[in-house]
Amino acid sequence: MDDVDGHDPDDDLADLPGGAPHDRWMRLALDEARAAAAEDEVPVGAIVVAGGRVIASAHNQREQLADPTAHAEMIALTQAAAALGSWRLEQCTLYVTLEPCPMCAGAILQARVPRVVWGAADPKAGAVESLYRLFEDARLNHRVDHVGRVLADECGRILSDFFRGKR
């Protein structure tokens, strides 16, 4: 979809897979992850980009809100829907520092998000590649283009450092 000057905002995101534009946006998600760590929350951050701009940014808040659903992705999706006035996030890209879990992957599918870029793999709960492949499940009525392991070392390090500090 072109904006008023004929520029396709999705060009700012580059084509999947991978690339420098993804690094730029993932660094903003990492800022959110650092904010989570500062609040003693598991350091996962997420942003939603539409039209070449951030329309939502969030981090884990499960402890703060005493809410098991308060994952970074869930909060960012809710913010994005409010910003757009629609639950259909069909023109958005979600950036998240950790591979989405089944709950978050399900919400991403329900919101019709077309693209997800994630950082560190999650071998214990990942629902994109590690344990499940929900975004590619032919039984579902929506598919999600995705690229993983963007700034994976940095995204993984913030989690490792956090949990090392807990032990």
Side-chain angles (χ1 to χ4, degrees):
M1 170 187 249
D2 291 349
D3 60 18
V4 290
D5 65 2
H7 172 259
D8 183 350
D10 284 344
D11 287 344
D12 295 338
L13 301 176
D15 294 327
L16 294 175
H22 293 312
D23 290 0
R24 170 189 170 210
W25 298 115
M26 187 62 76
R27 289 193 191 291
L28 295 177
L30 276 162
D31 289 343
E32 285 291 329
R34 283 187 275 280
E39 296 170 6
D40 204 30
E41 295 277 357
V42 174
V44 177
I47 66 163
V48 177
V49 176
R53 65 185 183 90
V54 176
I55 63 166
S57 59
H59 54 272
N60 276 2
Q61 293 185 298
R62 290 189 311 174
E63 300 299 331
Q64 241 177 90
L65 300 177
D67 180 352
T69 70
H71 288 201
E73 302 96 307
M74 300 293 282
I75 297 167
L77 291 174
T78 298
Q79 290 176 358
L84 297 176
S86 174
W87 63 267
R88 289 181 179 90
L89 304 181
E90 298 168 325
Q91 303 300 319
C92 297
T93 300
L94 172 69
Y95 288 83
V96 59
T97 59
L98 182 65
E99 178 183 5
C101 72
M103 174 184 68
C104 294
I108 290 162
L109 285 158
Q110 290 297 317
R112 308 299 192 262
V113 175
R115 290 171 299 280
V116 173
V117 180
W118 51 273
D122 187 350
K124 293 182 179 179
V128 179
E129 289 182 2
S130 295
L131 293 179
Y132 307 102
R133 294 182 173 270
L134 290 181
F135 291 168
E136 299 164 12
D137 192 320
R139 297 168 295 181
L140 301 173
N141 67 345
H142 179 66
R143 304 288 172 287
V144 178
D145 290 329
H146 58 91
V147 61
R149 297 172 180 82
V150 173
L151 301 181
D153 290 343
E154 196 170 342
C155 291
R157 189 174 319 110
I158 192 170
L159 286 159
S160 296
D161 290 350
F162 177 81
F163 288 114
R164 191 175 307 112
K166 291 288 182 193
R167 288 186 200 115

